Amino acid sequence: MGRWRPPPEKSTALITREGHDRLKRELDELWRVKRPEVVQALAAAAAEGDRSENAEYTYRKKQLGEIDRRVRYLSKRVPALKVVEGRPSDPRAVFFGASVEVERVDDGECRRYRIVGPDETDAPRGWISIDSPLARAMLKKQLDDEFEASLPTGPTRFVIVGVDYGI
């Protein structure tokens, strides 16, 4: 049996200005700071002799591979991203970059989410990807609109109680 897997879905190439700047800083730090440190440590470990039983050498090779993979990904991803700035023409509607407060219809629980690009999601902060089922369901909805999202727990109904673009 083969290990073939279907290609992953293409993620939306949108990002906020802050997210874009963060990715550029990460790429710069990896390339100018971390990679040279690891290369130097790898050379020192290689100079110790027998590499077959040298744990430090093995660790640094893996670390260098991880850094190179991330640098390669960011080098391709950052130029392909489109930075979205400014407010939409209708500030009562939900679009990319909006902070949206929603209330579950069944239990009245309120949550606040910010719709961001897939490269800047952060669940503890409530930042969800524009590609997520919840964000897709609320896009273009207006204040006080009711909508249904297909979540892992099943279909859930929500009401939009607040939309803000001030973050």
Side-chain angles (χ1 to χ4, degrees):
M1 179 153 217
R3 293 184 48 100
W4 182 87
R5 290 186 182 91
E9 287 185 32
K10 290 248 184 211
S11 59
T12 305
L14 298 176
I15 195 165
T16 62
R17 169 59 55 201
E18 309 91 60
H20 189 263
D21 292 344
R22 185 183 53 78
L23 288 180
K24 284 176 68 175
R25 277 192 312 270
E26 179 187 356
L27 176 60
D28 190 53
E29 181 184 341
L30 285 171
W31 188 249
R32 296 179 193 269
V33 179
K34 288 193 177 179
R35 191 174 193 285
E37 287 173 2
V38 172
V39 167
Q40 187 175 13
L42 180 65
E48 291 177 10
D50 186 15
R51 295 178 188 176
S52 64
E53 294 181 13
N54 189 338
E56 179 71 14
Y57 178 80
T58 305
Y59 171 72
R60 295 299 181 177
K61 283 289 277 188
K62 287 182 182 177
Q63 192 178 25
L64 185 61
E66 290 168 7
I67 289 172
D68 286 346
R69 255 190 306 284
R70 184 69 178 161
V71 164
R72 198 167 34 255
Y73 172 77
L74 289 174
S75 297
K76 291 178 183 175
R77 184 70 175 164
V78 169
L81 293 171
K82 180 179 185 278
V83 178
V84 177
E85 295 180 294
R87 293 172 170 238
S89 57
D90 184 3
R92 292 175 33 100
V94 178
F95 294 105
F96 182 84
S99 290
V100 185
E101 189 166 348
V102 294
E103 179 182 335
R104 286 175 77 130
V105 172
D106 58 354
D107 63 4
E109 179 187 358
C110 283
R111 286 239 172 120
R112 187 169 192 81
Y113 298 103
R114 183 172 182 210
I115 300 175
V116 294
D119 296 297
E120 49 187 338
T121 59
D122 188 358
R125 293 172 69 183
W127 290 18
I128 61 173
S129 170
I130 192 166
D131 296 330
S132 70
L134 182 59
R136 287 200 180 275
M138 69 171 87
L139 282 176
K140 298 182 183 175
K141 301 291 189 279
Q142 301 271 335
L143 195 61
D144 297 325
D145 279 358
E146 191 171 312
F147 67 94
E148 185 175 293
S150 298
L151 303 180
T153 57
T156 309
R157 297 202 62 73
F158 294 93
V159 174
I160 296 178
V161 295
V163 178
D164 179 35
Y165 289 91
I167 292 180

